[in-house]
Amino acid sequence: MKNFTLLESNTVFDGKLMEVHRDKIRFDNGKEAIRECILKKHGASAIAAIDENGKMLFVEQYRYGTDLTMLEVPAGLVDPGESPEVCAVRELEEETGMKAGKTTFLFDYYATPGYCSEKISMYLCEDLKPTHQHLDPDEYIEIKRYTVDEAIQMIEDGTITDGKTIAMIFAVKCRFKMEK
């Protein structure tokens, strides 16, 4: 239910990955407001990769925006003309050096819908086969493997704080609990 009219929109920043808009809107009740929004130019995909031992693959990497090294599920931006599923398979191999024999769509995730349009498509990848990592020149990634229960403990102790990763861990926990 959209309850406003866009009166004015100004692009404050136009970069490689995003645009930032400052918009003036009028609600149906006549009140006006300013909204700032980050419009992502590309979608993204995230992967819950489960190995032959039932462990999830994680990537540990420094994140400039938080100034932290974070433990996350593999993920990346969808290239122009690429489907989110193809992106998931490609990113899994690039970041972890594993190729998925089976890929299943789980759900779409909006990380911060109050001010950002970024949608992340979440996939489960199984039947993994080793290939080779293909990291970007500016990527420094360490691969980690944990059971879902270990990952939940790391959420509880503050080790895992990334939203998409937390959503993915609980989705995998629910999925495999329901299949048993």
Side-chain angles (χ1 to χ4, degrees):
M1 135 187 112
K2 185 174 175 179
N3 64 347
F4 68 90
T5 302
L6 179 64
L7 301 175
E8 182 181 321
S9 183
N10 294 298
T11 302
V12 178
F13 173 77
D14 187 3
K16 181 176 135 182
L17 301 176
M18 71 188 89
E19 290 180 18
V20 178
H21 287 217
R22 183 178 166 91
D23 298 340
K24 184 176 182 181
I25 61 173
R26 180 180 298 124
F27 292 100
D28 292 345
N29 66 7
K31 293 185 179 184
E32 293 183 2
I34 299 295
R35 295 289 186 260
E36 296 170 341
C37 187
I38 299 167
L39 302 175
K40 295 290 288 194
K41 294 186 176 184
H42 309 280
S45 294
I47 305 99
I50 310 295
D51 71 12
E52 70 280 357
N53 298 315
K55 290 191 174 186
M56 285 181 71
L57 275 65
F58 293 87
V59 293
E60 189 174 67
Q61 60 187 324
Y62 173 77
R63 291 302 199 173
Y64 187 81
T66 60
D67 192 27
L68 296 170
T69 298
M70 299 185 80
L71 191 61
E72 306 173 24
V73 292
L77 298 176
V78 176
D79 288 339
E82 182 180 52
S83 73
E85 182 174 351
V86 169
C87 171
V89 171
R90 175 182 54 76
E91 285 290 339
L92 176 65
E93 185 171 11
E94 285 179 8
E95 292 189 356
T96 69
M98 300 299 275
K99 190 141 185 105
K102 180 181 176 188
T103 303
T104 306
F105 173 77
L106 296 176
F107 59 95
D108 286 326
Y109 173 76
Y110 288 93
T112 51
Y115 63 87
C116 184
S117 68
E118 182 177 42
K119 177 172 80 171
I120 304 172
S121 298
M122 312 289 258
Y123 290 88
L124 173 65
C125 290
E126 300 172 282
D127 301 329
L128 305 179
K129 305 285 184 253
T131 61
H132 300 284
Q133 275 184 310
H134 305 283
L135 297 177
D136 293 335
D138 63 346
E139 279 185 308
Y140 303 95
I141 291 175
E142 193 172 327
I143 311 285
K144 306 281 186 168
R145 295 171 191 248
Y146 299 103
T147 66
V148 173
D149 289 337
E150 288 170 330
I152 289 171
Q153 181 58 47
M154 288 189 280
I155 294 168
E156 292 173 354
D157 71 20
T159 302
I160 294 176
T161 57
D162 174 62
K164 73 181 175 306
T165 300
I166 292 169
M168 188 70 88
I169 291 165
F170 284 110
V172 169
K173 175 76 171 178
C174 289
R175 181 179 188 92
F176 287 106
K177 185 177 185 180
M178 292 170 64
E179 287 181 358
K180 291 181 180 181

